[in-house]
Amino acid sequence: MDTRRPLRTLALVLGTAGLLISGCSSGSSTSGTSSSAQAASASASASAVPAALKPFYAQQLSWRDCGVTGFQCATMKAPLDYAKPDGGEIKLAVSRKKATGPGKRIGSLLVNPGGPGGSAIGYLQGYAAIGYPAQVRARYDMVAIDPRGVARSEPVECLTGSQMDAYTQVDQTPDDAVEVTKLSGAFKKFATGCEERSGEILPHVSTVETARDMDILRSLLGDEHLNYVGASYGTFLGATYAELFPGRTGRLVLDGAMDPSLPSAEMNRDQTAGFETAFQSFAADCVKKADCPLGTTSAADAATALKKLFSDLDAKPIPTGESRELGESLATTGVIAAMYDETAWPQLREALAGAEAGDGSGLLSLADSYYEREPNGTYANLMYANAAVNCLDLPPAFATANAVTQAVPSFEKASPVFGKGFAWASLNCAYWPVPATGTPHRIEAEGAAPIVVVGTTRDPATPYKWAESLADQLSSGTLLTYKGDGHTAYGRGSDCIDTAINTYLLEGTPPAAGKKCS
């Protein structure tokens, strides 16, 4: 299996940014001042588990065969509402692959691929527990828990497959009041669908609550400290754990880091600029090739050509070989999906060439991979959980359509190609049925063991400056830099990065401050 992030999981991060219609606030949620967070901080500072939570920490995991060779699965119970631990339970899916040896077992290594909304169990069974370096898998039990509201853990549901098809095709770059009303209506219908189908769980899928679930799991696994590798949004989840439970924090790798101190609007604008940087890198590579469908002169000309293609598709969608046509929205999604990993650039060139020739199937396939749409028209719950977590973790980027209109110029300055669409996508949390419980704040995690923060210089979804900021905020943070393209760095082909992280996970020694790899 390719060690780079597979296309089918591309949306695991993008949803965090308020990017597309199904996106939300920028991968990084932030829940620092909620009552749940305050309660968690109090419990973390105490040596004993609070009496009301003891039944959860005392439960026994009953491991069973998963139906996937080498893996075991179990179900863990947690309070639906940590403020009222006796007010109901939520069942969370857990999976593990035990350490293979040789070498002394270190403990459990929890992994999370991001999102929010990405299935950690899917990531574990499909990649981490078979694709992480052999020496890491030899000495750790590889473990994952699907966060509350995600995949196997009481998933948030919002729309039918046909409704989601319609939602993903709504014009994200409205040109007049009628189109603004239609886009706003799509956001409202999405939010209403979530409330109707998943109203009970919607107030209880915050990152703080998921971090607290991880501490119950740590205890049930018999580990004194949590060892963890989180990618993208998973970095915010890991940093939140360190903030709540600094004394229980072990070896944490936060790869493709989020900046928890930023409000939604600033985060979304930063990510808009990140995708512009990634596109410029793609375009500079594309124009050197004879088959570049965006011309062979300059990256600036390639950007102009792409904008024209989007404009043409806005005016007249093209066939795809199935009932859905390719309009501007799905085409934009397809291009964005390929920005996550430079190994997807050849596929993108081919898809763009097809679109130029009137065949939208290539870009539609990329868009479907982003949305995790199956060929039978069903969708994974990725985008539903993504909105549910993001809209709870941070106040909306914009409260009204007028506010978006005023912000569009600043987004277009950040990205002439993607800016307008990203700005309007930032409106979706304005109609969310549950008020946000978190606010932007710095995470220092005073007293935590050394934490490794990894940043990629041309990362589209988590701009490099976010990694710099998080490493600076964390009292024990160390920044590890990968100078290159793509989203996240561990396991993507850099021996320098992999060696530094493997050494940390196996020996507990973080890389030297300021270490850079290429």
Side-chain angles (χ1 to χ4, degrees):
M1 175 177 182
D2 189 347
T3 57
R4 298 168 186 269
R5 193 81 63 237
L7 276 181
R8 123 169 214 68
T9 64
L10 289 177
L12 298 187
V13 187
L14 200 58
T16 59
L19 290 181
L20 309 171
I21 291 183
S22 8
C24 204
S25 78
S26 196
S28 128
S29 357
T30 9
S31 320
T33 59
S34 67
S35 58
S36 297
Q38 294 165 353
S41 296
S43 68
S45 63
S47 58
V49 173
L53 294 180
K54 284 184 177 179
F56 298 99
Y57 279 83
Q59 68 186 289
Q60 297 290 318
L61 292 180
S62 179
W63 293 102
R64 62 188 184 278
D65 181 75
C66 289
V68 181
T69 302
F71 291 89
Q72 296 176 306
C73 290
T75 300
M76 187 189 93
K77 295 178 181 179
L80 176 64
D81 183 353
Y82 276 93
K84 300 175 182 177
D86 58 353
E89 297 176 343
I90 186 169
K91 295 179 179 179
L92 306 174
V94 181
S95 183
R96 75 177 177 187
K97 190 172 190 290
K98 300 193 78 172
T100 58
K104 183 179 179 182
R105 177 184 176 277
I106 296 172
S108 303
L109 181 64
L110 198 65
V111 296
N112 183 283
S119 171
I121 291 178
Y123 176 70
L124 177 81
Q125 295 179 353
Y127 171 60
I130 56 177
Y132 271 29
Q135 62 266 43
V136 172
R137 293 182 283 116
R139 300 187 59 197
Y140 282 100
D141 292 345
M142 300 293 294
V143 181
I145 178 171
D146 274 350
R148 49 178 62 208
V150 174
R152 300 163 178 83
S153 293
E154 304 198 15
V156 171
E157 298 295 343
C158 300
L159 301 177
T160 65
S162 60
Q163 288 174 333
M164 189 65 179
D165 277 348
Y167 181 70
T168 62
Q169 295 177 74
V170 173
D171 189 349
Q172 299 170 41
T173 57
D175 300 315
D176 54 37
V178 172
E179 291 186 348
V180 168
T181 298
K182 185 175 181 179
L183 179 57
S184 298
F187 289 142
K188 292 174 184 177
K189 184 175 181 178
F190 185 96
T192 298
C194 297
E195 184 176 28
E196 290 174 347
R197 292 172 171 83
S198 303
E200 182 179 8
I201 196 176
L202 285 189
H204 303 296
V205 293
S206 71
T207 298
V208 164
E209 289 161 307
T210 293
R212 299 195 69 183
D213 296 338
M214 288 180 5
D215 192 62
I216 294 176
L217 178 59
R218 172 204 57 78
S219 178
L220 299 182
L221 293 171
D223 292 330
E224 183 178 353
H225 299 98
L226 180 80
N227 302 308
Y228 174 85
V229 177
S232 194
Y233 160 80
T235 66
F236 176 64
L237 178 57
T240 298
Y241 182 90
E243 179 182 37
L244 300 179
F245 306 104
R248 302 174 194 174
T249 297
R251 300 170 189 179
L252 264 61
V253 177
L254 308 181
D255 185 11
M258 310 302 304
D259 181 352
S261 69
L262 299 177
S264 294
E266 186 175 348
M267 190 174 294
N268 291 358
R269 201 156 25 233
D270 279 356
Q271 196 177 52
T272 302
F275 275 90
E276 179 67 21
T277 297
F279 174 74
Q280 290 297 323
S281 189
F282 161 76
D285 177 76
C286 184
V287 297
K288 297 175 184 176
K289 302 181 183 304
D291 67 342
C292 181
L294 301 177
T296 55
T297 50
S298 69
D301 287 342
T304 300
L306 182 61
K307 288 179 66 176
K308 183 180 184 303
L309 175 63
F310 287 161
S311 179
D312 290 346
L313 292 172
D314 187 29
K316 187 179 180 180
I318 59 177
T320 63
E322 58 169 274
S323 59
R324 292 175 298 156
E325 292 184 315
L326 182 81
E328 181 186 16
S329 293
L330 285 172
T332 303
T333 306
V335 173
I336 286 169
M339 293 298 100
Y340 279 85
D341 190 333
E342 66 272 25
T343 62
W345 290 358
Q347 183 180 352
L348 177 58
R349 290 198 305 272
E350 183 178 351
L352 288 171
E356 291 280 11
D359 176 8
S361 60
L363 285 176
L364 181 65
S365 178
L366 283 166
D368 284 350
S369 74
Y370 172 87
Y371 285 122
E372 293 201 350
R373 183 188 190 274
E374 298 296 335
N376 65 3
T378 61
Y379 288 78
N381 96 305
L382 169 67
M383 288 300 179
Y384 310 140
N386 176 268
V389 176
N390 280 327
C391 294
L392 195 60
D393 275 352
L394 279 179
F398 302 108
T400 66
N402 285 339
V404 177
T405 299
Q406 294 174 10
V408 164
S410 67
F411 276 73
E412 290 185 319
K413 182 178 180 180
S415 174
V417 177
F418 304 115
K420 185 177 181 180
F422 279 28
W424 281 103
S426 303
L427 184 62
N428 67 332
C429 287
Y431 308 107
W432 202 246
V434 182
T437 56
T439 57
H441 67 288
R442 289 174 57 85
I443 291 183
E444 299 178 0
E446 189 71 39
I451 298 172
V452 175
V453 178
V454 188
T456 297
T457 55
R458 294 187 295 277
D459 190 316
T462 52
Y464 177 67
K465 68 178 184 178
W466 290 356
E468 292 179 303
S469 179
L470 180 60
D472 181 65
Q473 291 172 44
L474 291 166
S475 63
S476 59
T478 295
L479 178 63
L480 174 62
T481 298
Y482 174 59
K483 296 187 288 185
D485 296 294
H487 181 48
T488 73
Y490 187 40
R492 287 178 46 85
S494 169
D495 289 340
C496 174
I497 289 288
D498 291 355
T499 298
I501 292 176
N502 294 342
T503 299
Y504 169 67
L505 290 175
L506 296 172
E507 301 174 12
T509 304
K515 183 175 179 62
K516 292 180 170 62
C517 298
S518 57

